[in-house]
Amino acid sequence: LLPIFGIGQVNTFPWVNDFENFIILEEDQNDDGDWVLRQGSTPSYNTGPSGDHTTGSGIYYYVESSYPNYPNKTLITYTPTFDISATPGKVLSFWYHMYGAEMGDLEIGVLDGNGYTILDTKSGDQGDQWFFAYYPIASIDSFKIQFKATTGTLFTSDICIDDIMVSD
């Protein structure tokens, strides 16, 4: 396998991270910064959610787009590696929030033995609400999911994810 796959692959499903246990995802060491855990609203006005997707008072994972995280800064995070060799045919689902006048992009992709495949890119201001995303995963043996946030031109481009699940 490629070196992107580390020890401790996940092979029991469904796998869920709602961030309530303060378990972060793996951060890319060669990008412009890190995703962070947050409860409540983001520190900036007119961007980000007022709370997490699940209860409104829980934890979510997000990119703070205030200086120095704009303009057009890239922040990448990864799920663990999923071993689906014994139980192929999985789906990824999660909730995302992209509210702000200068919103950038959220790219969702799969890293596997064949390289990197983009599943989708969400772009621009989506309004002050959480949206559900759902994608079938065609990977054969193992994969990890990459979330790549690219901030917009100003601080009003906080990008958030919550309630990630990989399941049958």
Side-chain angles (χ1 to χ4, degrees):
L1 294 176
L2 295 175
I4 57 166
F5 302 110
I7 300 170
Q9 295 186 4
V10 174
N11 62 8
T12 55
F13 300 93
W15 174 88
V16 176
N17 189 347
D18 60 8
F19 303 104
E20 301 307 312
N21 294 322
F22 304 99
I23 297 171
I24 62 171
L25 300 180
E26 175 190 348
E27 291 297 323
D28 192 301
Q29 300 304 305
N30 300 309
D31 62 356
D32 295 320
D34 291 342
W35 291 64
V36 293
L37 295 169
R38 184 78 185 179
Q39 184 174 24
S41 59
T42 62
S44 306
Y45 186 70
N46 285 336
T47 188
S50 56
D52 78 323
H53 163 258
T54 318
T55 64
S57 58
I59 310 294
Y60 56 91
Y61 209 46
Y62 91 112
V63 166
E64 172 54 53
S65 61
S66 294
Y67 183 83
N69 287 346
Y70 75 87
N72 307 315
K73 299 292 184 181
T74 300
L75 298 93
I76 300 172
T77 191
Y78 307 96
T79 64
T81 298
F82 301 103
D83 174 2
I84 60 169
S85 56
T87 57
K90 297 293 180 241
V91 294
L92 163 71
S93 64
F94 64 97
W95 291 82
Y96 67 95
H97 191 286
M98 296 173 65
Y99 166 56
E102 306 298 328
M103 185 53 64
D105 302 322
L106 175 61
E107 178 183 290
I108 304 98
V110 176
L111 279 161
D112 63 17
N114 297 317
Y116 180 69
T117 304
I118 297 172
L119 293 175
D120 198 4
T121 303
K122 306 293 185 184
S123 300
D125 183 3
Q126 307 288 312
D128 189 5
Q129 60 185 340
W130 288 94
F131 290 95
F132 183 68
Y134 176 95
Y135 306 97
I137 305 296
S139 190
I140 296 168
D141 288 324
S142 63
F143 66 93
K144 63 170 66 173
I145 302 297
Q146 173 181 292
F147 294 95
K148 175 182 174 184
T150 304
T151 61
T153 54
L154 288 172
F155 70 91
T156 53
S157 58
D158 292 351
I159 298 171
C160 314
I161 58 176
D162 201 2
D163 298 324
I164 304 168
M165 182 168 65
V166 174
S167 63
D168 294 331

